[in-house]
Amino acid sequence: MKIVSRDRWFDVEHHYDGISLISETYVRPFYRCNIWHVQGRDRDLLIDSGSGLVSLREQLPWLTQRPLLAVASHTHFDHIAGHHEFPERLVHPAEADILARPDGDNTLSKAYVGDEMFEAHPDCPLCYAEYRVKAAPATRLIDEGDVLDLGDRVLEVLHTPGHSPGGISLWEEETGTIFSGDIVYDGPLVDNAYHSNLEDYAKSLARLRDLPVRTVHGGHFPSFSGERLRELADNWLRAHG
């Protein structure tokens, strides 16, 4: 498999609204977590942190030039393996134990990390063979109705379980923007993980579809409109009765 230098591992797409998408370019799309950076006046927000194979702090040093809250939308390996690099780490109480004591089973890394995950390897070609998610105990627990105040923008925590018990979404009402993690994205949804719950999934999707959403930034695949969110939610709800 092709080997690439670590300085080529991440791609950064800056949006006009202070939101940036950080991607691990050589991780195949199904496995590639969207890492969202939200810039605020007083502090920034990092929603998820990717596979951890290459250091975010080393390759993107601008991430830590200002105060930063690193939030876990949930605790599957592809979303939290970089969290140990940041001093302020936020997670829902239902998955705090996983963030503090991750292993190959509770983060799903044992089931998914392998050659099929990559288009290329970083310049440690067998590093995934010894792959593990490092412990990153939460410094703050967040739950339904909590607010993340960045100074000039505010995001509300919505507890959206189903994909996993501690899944959260972050809702910026002023702009109609939601960061949905893995409860919904425009691709094949995973509702059969070891701690998924279909009843919770249905409730969370029904809740999100009724919000006045304009833009969805999901945990995987490209962003999409509120109209598309309602279509995806309706399709899932119909398929699952």
Side-chain angles (χ1 to χ4, degrees), residues 5-82:
S5 61
R6 297 185 185 200
D7 60 0
R8 296 175 55 198
W9 190 253
F10 295 107
D11 178 69
V12 182
E13 178 185 331
H14 296 289
H15 293 211
Y16 68 91
D17 53 0
I19 296 172
S20 299
L21 171 60
I22 302 169
S23 303
E24 296 181 89
T25 310
Y26 297 99
V27 175
R28 291 194 170 109
F30 177 76
Y31 306 91
R32 184 190 305 148
C33 166
N34 290 334
I35 304 168
W36 296 103
H37 180 265
V38 183
Q39 184 173 358
R41 185 192 65 211
D42 299 336
R43 62 189 58 82
D44 296 346
L45 193 65
L46 190 71
I47 305 167
D48 295 331
S49 59
S51 75
L53 278 172
V54 174
S55 169
L56 281 163
R57 288 184 63 130
E58 288 179 6
Q59 299 305 322
L60 305 176
W62 53 268
L63 281 175
T64 52
Q65 290 174 351
R66 306 177 73 245
L68 179 79
L69 304 176
V71 178
S73 69
H74 62 295
T75 57
H76 293 158
F77 76 98
D78 49 327
H79 293 261
I80 62 159

Side-chain angles (χ1 to χ4, degrees), residues 3-7 9 54 121-127:
I3 307 299
V4 297
S5 61
R6 297 185 185 200
D7 60 0
W9 190 253
V54 174
H121 288 153
D123 52 10
C124 51
L126 294 179
C127 59

Side-chain angles (χ1 to χ4, degrees), residues 24-173:
E24 296 181 89
T25 310
Y26 297 99
V27 175
R28 291 194 170 109
F30 177 76
Y31 306 91
R32 184 190 305 148
C33 166
N34 290 334
I35 304 168
W36 296 103
H37 180 265
V38 183
Q39 184 173 358
R41 185 192 65 211
D42 299 336
R43 62 189 58 82
D44 296 346
L45 193 65
L46 190 71
I47 305 167
D48 295 331
S49 59
S51 75
L53 278 172
V54 174
S55 169
L56 281 163
R57 288 184 63 130
E58 288 179 6
Q59 299 305 322
L60 305 176
W62 53 268
L63 281 175
T64 52
Q65 290 174 351
R66 306 177 73 245
L68 179 79
L69 304 176
V71 178
S73 69
H74 62 295
T75 57
H76 293 158
F77 76 98
D78 49 327
H79 293 261
I80 62 159
H83 263 59
H84 68 279
E85 297 192 303
F86 302 99
E88 294 191 71
R89 302 177 295 271
L90 287 64
V91 71
H92 189 273
E95 296 186 34
D97 284 349
I98 299 176
L99 195 63
R101 287 176 286 277
D103 61 41
D105 293 316
N106 65 17
T107 67
L108 299 182
S109 63
K110 184 186 293 184
Y112 288 105
V113 176
D115 277 344
E116 68 280 358
M117 181 174 162
F118 303 103
E119 299 286 354
H121 288 153
D123 52 10
C124 51
L126 294 179
C127 59
Y128 77 85
E130 300 176 355
Y131 182 84
R132 65 183 183 88
V133 179
K134 294 181 180 179
T139 58
R140 176 180 168 189
L141 300 179
I142 50 175
D143 206 341
E144 176 69 32
D146 288 343
V147 167
L148 305 182
D149 187 348
L150 306 186
D152 57 348
R153 61 196 311 170
V154 172
L155 293 93
E156 180 183 356
V157 177
L158 308 181
H159 183 208
T160 48
H163 176 71
S164 68
I168 63 163
S169 301
L170 296 179
W171 169 233
E172 188 174 47
E173 184 176 14

